[in-house]
């Protein structure tokens, strides 16, 4: 099974589970989300245990393994767990899917399923649990599946869910760092982000974008024993890609997220990506008001790498006064946005998040952060202050504006800024990649933009080599950025002759008109004469 097959099989299994949930009116319910994520977690842990145990016991097929497990006494069972290693879940024979399926006709099968998940949680509590900011442990499986429906339906639901798992085998990819749950996350968040995401919207970062951010962030270096942090980690796709680029054995993961849903998904990703040793560093907290990872003196730990796609807008009016306290002035060095009189949901929460990330980079730290594209040209006081701080300290290494509509469930135009506190030159790579990629429909039939591997390589090459290419990329100095009022819009730095307006090959087509009209409306600092020339040429 190659990676593409795993993607398709994962999507197919999700669809089958969702059809089961739909039968019970749970497909768009929060309980449905809990059920699918827990069933997937159980499936992957089962497959990981089966595969590792066969290798440890030198057994070729599953049936022989089940027979062997039935013969083990408690001492031999514990010896198997130890030999499997700390990153392999501990299962008893009765906890396996094989055993559950044999008992689906039990009158109280739903109790058997709930008990199985609870027992697995207890057996693995030391290595497969995450902590909240107050220190309370979050169980591996914290939701009783049978609680979702009335008594008469409990057995049918439990049986239908478990029977869907039998025909799937993900064991071949489990030890290859395949990011199963990024697929699960992308599939599931859209139905639960109704009405443009609501108050607790989560936005999956496409794998191509995640990989691109990580590879440019790390560059050509080979870091060892480094710390990697995301203050709004979600399912952890960004951190998983970063760890893959650096090497799982060379990094420790630190992450925070305000939702238990996010920490649960991240925990699974750590387990599947050989990073279980970092599970203790996953905290369910409000990063801005109660940041984790402190030193003995109470000060905040700093990190080698920070990568994040923080929330852009969110009503944080209740906690805004806390963020404005004097003790937070160093962390939020440019200030906190005021509470608007209208539409509090429009509050720019990415502004304190961005400052928090800059503050938590150590003196040689590097960061890669997704921001709304509007930030690049913003002249609002706090946003301009952040850009000025980064430029005047020579901390900005580059900016990329990817194609619009590249994210799974938001039309928001985004850009990526790269920060390097140990930059050796004053050059900043500026890349406008909006014309790259291709349009296609995603699994839900929704039109999306996708980057090809060639697109990713082109962007990386330009970033690493500081190359200049017509209407695509250009290296600029920090002095040039200062002269432009600290604007970080890549297209604003392209030489005007890139439009080649005097050449006969420019055709007055609707596509060219739309493209050039868009550039005018982006408020680029083109002189008036140039604007008039465009208007006259294309009859604007």
């Amino acid at each position: 099974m190659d990676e593409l097959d795993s993607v398709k099989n994962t999507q197919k299994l999700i669809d089958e589970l969702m059809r089961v949930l739909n039968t019970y009116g749970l497909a768009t319910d929060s309980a449905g989300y809990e059920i699918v994520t827990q069933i997937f977690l159980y499936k992957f842990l089962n497959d990981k245990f089966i595969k590792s145990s066969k290798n440890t016991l030198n057994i070729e097929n599953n049936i022989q393994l089940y027979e062997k497990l039935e013969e083990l006494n408690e001492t031999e069972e514990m010896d198997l767990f130890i030999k499997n290693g700390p990153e392999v879940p501990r299962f008893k024979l009765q906890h396996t899917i094989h055993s559950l399926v044999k008992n689906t006709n039990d009158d109280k099968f739903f109790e058997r399923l709930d008990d199985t998940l609870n027992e697995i949680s207890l057996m693995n509590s030391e290595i497969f649990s995450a902590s909240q900011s107050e220190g309370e442990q979050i169980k591996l499986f914290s939701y009783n599946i049978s609680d979702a429906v009335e008594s008469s339906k409990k057995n049918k639901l439990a049986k239908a869910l478990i029977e869907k798992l039998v025909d799937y085998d993900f064991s071949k990819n489990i030890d290859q760092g395949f990011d199963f749950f990024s697929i699960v996350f992308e599939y599931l968040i859209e139905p639960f982000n109704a009405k443009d995401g609501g108050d607790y919207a989560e936005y999956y970062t496409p794998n191509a974008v995640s990989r691109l951010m990580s590879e440019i962030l790390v560059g050509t270096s080979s870091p060892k024993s480094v710390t990697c942090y995301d203050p709004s980690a979600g399912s952890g796709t960004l951190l998983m890609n970063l760890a893959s680029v650096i090497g799982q054995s060379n990094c420790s993961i630190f992450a925070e997220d305000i939702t238990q849903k996010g920490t649960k998904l991240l925990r699974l990703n750590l387990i599947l990506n050989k990073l279980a040793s970092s599970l203790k560093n996953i905290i369910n907290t409000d990063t801005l008001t109660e940041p984790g990872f402190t030193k003995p003196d109470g000060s905040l730990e700093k990190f080698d790498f920070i990568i994040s796609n923080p929330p852009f807008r969110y009503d944080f009016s209740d906690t805004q006064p806390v963020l404005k306290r004097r003790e937070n002035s160093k962390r939020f060095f440019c200030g906190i946005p005021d509470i608007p009189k209208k539409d509090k949901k429009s509050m720019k929460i990415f502004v304190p998040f961005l400052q928090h990330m800059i503050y938590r980079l150590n003196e040689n730290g590097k960061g890669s952060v997704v921001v709304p594209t509007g930030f690049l040209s913003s002249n609002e006081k706090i946003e301009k202050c952040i850009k000025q701080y980064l430029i005047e300290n020579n901390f900005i290494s580059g900016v990329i504006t990817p194609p619009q509509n590249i994210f799974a469930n938001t039309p928001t135009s985004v850009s990526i800024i790269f920060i390097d506190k140990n930059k050796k030159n004053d050059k900043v790579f500026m890349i406008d990649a909006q014309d790259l990629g291709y349009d296609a429909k995603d699994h839900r039939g929704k039109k999306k933009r996708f980057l090809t591997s060639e697109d990713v390589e082109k962007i990386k090459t330009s970033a690493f080599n500081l190359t200049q290419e017509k209407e695509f990329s250009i290296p600029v100095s920090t002095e040039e950025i200062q002269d432009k009022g600290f604007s970080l819009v890549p297209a604003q730095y392209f030489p005007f002759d890139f439009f080649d307006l005097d050449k006969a090959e420019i055709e007055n087509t609707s596509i060219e008109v739309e493209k050039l009209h868009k550039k005018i409306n982006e408020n680029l600092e083109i002189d008036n004469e140039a604007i008039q020339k465009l208007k006259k040429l294309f009859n604007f």
Side-chain angles (χ1 to χ4, degrees), residues 245-434:
V245 172
I246 294 173
Q248 285 88 344
S249 62
N250 293 321
C251 63
S252 296
I253 299 297
F254 294 81
E256 296 161 318
D257 199 272
I258 198 169
T259 67
Q260 286 197 20
K261 179 171 64 178
T263 55
K264 287 177 183 177
L265 304 187
L266 174 54
R267 194 160 65 243
L268 174 58
N269 256 333
L270 290 174
I271 294 167
L272 294 177
N273 286 279
K274 302 181 180 180
L275 289 162
S277 60
S278 291
L279 281 166
K280 62 183 181 297
N281 302 328
I282 310 305
I283 301 178
N284 175 211
T285 186
D286 183 332
T287 302
L288 299 180
T289 60
E290 299 181 73
F293 314 118
T294 57
K295 299 178 182 178
D297 63 2
S299 62
L300 295 177
E301 292 279 2
K302 303 293 181 76
F303 301 98
D304 300 305
F305 291 94
I306 295 179
I307 189 166
S308 190
N309 178 9
F312 290 172
R313 295 177 186 273
Y314 176 72
D315 177 5
F316 62 102
S317 56
D318 287 345
T319 58
Q320 189 257 18
V322 176
L323 304 185
K324 297 190 80 168
R325 288 176 184 170
R326 188 172 184 179
E327 62 263 28
N328 286 321
S329 60
K330 288 186 178 179
R331 184 159 54 117
F332 305 118
F333 50 88
C334 282
I336 299 296
D338 293 329
I339 301 173
K341 294 181 180 179
K342 298 180 180 180
D343 192 16
K344 292 180 181 179
K345 290 183 179 180
S346 68
M347 293 179 69
K348 296 181 178 180
I349 197 170
F350 81 89
V351 171
F353 260 107
L354 182 53
Q355 293 176 85
H356 170 83
M357 286 180 267
I358 295 169
Y359 178 78
R360 299 205 70 170
L361 280 172
N362 63 31
E363 59 183 8
N364 295 314
K366 299 172 72 176
S368 179
V369 185
V370 178
V371 297
T373 297
F375 169 75
L376 304 183
S377 58
S378 176
N379 282 317
E380 292 189 19
K381 182 179 178 181
I382 298 176
E383 294 169 57
K384 187 170 183 179
C385 171
I386 296 172
K387 292 187 290 182
Q388 184 172 348
Y389 173 85
L390 291 170
I391 294 302
E392 290 183 345
N393 285 282
N394 196 30
F395 289 162
I396 284 278
S397 59
V399 179
I400 297 173
T401 300
Q404 288 193 1
N405 202 32
I406 199 169
F407 277 63
N409 59 335
T410 176
T412 304
S413 176
V414 303
S415 293
I416 307 163
I417 61 173
F418 293 85
I419 301 167
D420 185 351
K421 284 193 172 182
N422 192 33
K423 192 152 70 88
K424 302 301 184 183
N425 58 54
D426 73 338
K427 293 298 182 183
V428 177
F429 63 80
M430 292 283 189
I431 299 176
D432 185 341
Q434 294 183 80

